[in-house]
Amino acid sequence: MRFDHKTVLISGAAGGFGSRMAERFADLGANLVLSDQDALALQAVADSLECEVALLAGDVTDPEHHHELVDLAQAEFGSLDVAVNNAGIVQPMQRLPDTDPEFARHLIEVDLMGVIYAMQAQLPAMATRFEEEGTPAAIVNIASAAGLVGSPFLATYAAAKHGVVGLTRSAAAEYGRKGVRINAICPSFANTAMLTDYLEASPKGREAAEHALTRGIPMARVGQVDEVVNTILFAAWDGNSFMTGETLSVDGGLVAV
Ligand SMILES: NC(=O)c1ccc[n+]([C@@H]2O[C@H](COP(=O)([O-])OP(=O)(O)OC[C@H]3O[C@@H](n4cnc5c(N)ncnc54)[C@H](O)[C@@H]3O)[C@@H](O)[C@H]2O)c1
């Protein structure tokens, strides 16, 4: 699996999955366009990489940011081959009526609208290139196991991630003849700051909270970041050329039972 001469755009690139996938794509030969709302952390990730990198800090809830990222990919590297729509936030565990409506609206704006805005900018550029040059492209949306099954106490997050799965399948059908494959990765709990911050904040204490999270998982543990990133690379890879509209669960068997 190589990404030589490919331009890979990653949102949320300063986070757990994002920074690791940036390293892995770079090791596999890609040029990178990286985005995150945390400009300092984004710069630190870029400084640690040994590849061609273009950076643009910004907010995925701003549709214009996504157009600027596509323009940046084309200006710096001549094309956009892969986009990983990864930026996201999670909610505190609480019953639906206890979720603050303002926060719910914000979460939907980041986790769902952010992916809509991203694909609205990415798809036309990718389809035009396919029409003109015959070069295929791939989009990988980072959904969640909560995008595939109901998730008690995470209802708003689950609604957004179900939305990402619906978007992925629908856009894949729209762009099947236009050279763009679109797939979703559905991790369960993986060992990034998003999870560790949540576990540390639990009133039950970290160990008890982790036990409560993992007892319904056949493999009875949280995932490692590389276990998730490996499937992102696979979904993005040109050799995986007939898979589109798919949701890949990376969850130790959580949604299988
Ligand atoms: N870690 C898990 O257990 C897990 C499980 C399932 C799904 N996911 C999904 O994986 C993706 C990445 O999560 P992670 O675990 O790496 O989390 P993380 O918190 O480590 O990284 C998320 C990154 O997104 C950025 N971000 C957040 N809101 C943004 C915004 N409005 N605009 C631009 N950037 C923004 C943050 O600054 C951060 O760098 C998310 O979509 C998340 O929902 C994570």
Side-chain angles (χ1 to χ4, degrees), residues 61 89 101-117 155-161 163-164:
T61 67
I89 56 173
E102 269 313 303
F103 179 78
R105 198 171 291 120
H106 175 63
L107 186 144
I108 297 289
E109 188 66 22
V110 175
D111 285 2
L112 178 56
M113 295 306 297
V115 181
I116 292 181
Y117 302 143
T156 307
Y157 181 73
K161 294 298 189 179
V164 173

Side-chain angles (χ1 to χ4, degrees), residues 12 14-18 36-38 58-61 86-89 110-111 142-145 157 161 187-190 192-195:
F17 292 154
D36 202 285
Q37 67 180 2
D38 185 338
D59 193 322
V60 293
T61 67
N86 164 72
I89 56 173
V110 175
D111 285 2
I142 309 307
S144 171
Y157 181 73
K161 294 298 189 179
S188 60
F189 307 106
T192 68
M194 185 178 273
L195 179 72

Side-chain angles (χ1 to χ4, degrees), residues 12-38:
F17 292 154
S19 58
R20 183 59 182 149
M21 76 178 95
E23 270 175 26
R24 298 284 304 281
F25 274 116
D27 288 348
L28 294 169
N31 301 320
L32 297 180
V33 177
L34 303 182
S35 145
D36 202 285
Q37 67 180 2
D38 185 338

Side-chain angles (χ1 to χ4, degrees), residues 61-172:
T61 67
D62 173 9
E64 193 50 36
H65 178 58
H66 300 284
H67 290 283
E68 289 168 358
L69 286 167
V70 172
D71 291 348
L72 182 63
Q74 291 173 330
E76 290 288 320
F77 304 118
S79 66
L80 176 62
D81 298 285
V82 171
V84 187
N85 297 317
N86 164 72
I89 56 173
V90 73
Q91 64 165 103
M93 281 200 137
Q94 54 195 183
R95 287 184 200 280
L96 182 54
D98 297 331
T99 302
D100 172 42
E102 269 313 303
F103 179 78
R105 198 171 291 120
H106 175 63
L107 186 144
I108 297 289
E109 188 66 22
V110 175
D111 285 2
L112 178 56
M113 295 306 297
V115 181
I116 292 181
Y117 302 143
M119 289 205 291
Q120 284 181 325
Q122 294 154 3
L123 286 165
M126 289 172 162
T128 300
R129 180 148 172 262
F130 182 70
E131 200 179 318
E132 290 173 353
E133 298 171 24
T135 312
I139 294 176
V140 185
N141 293 325
I142 309 307
S144 171
L148 296 172
V149 293
S151 302
F153 309 107
L154 289 173
T156 307
Y157 181 73
K161 294 298 189 179
H162 272 72
V164 173
V165 168
L167 272 177
T168 301
R169 291 175 174 151
S170 307

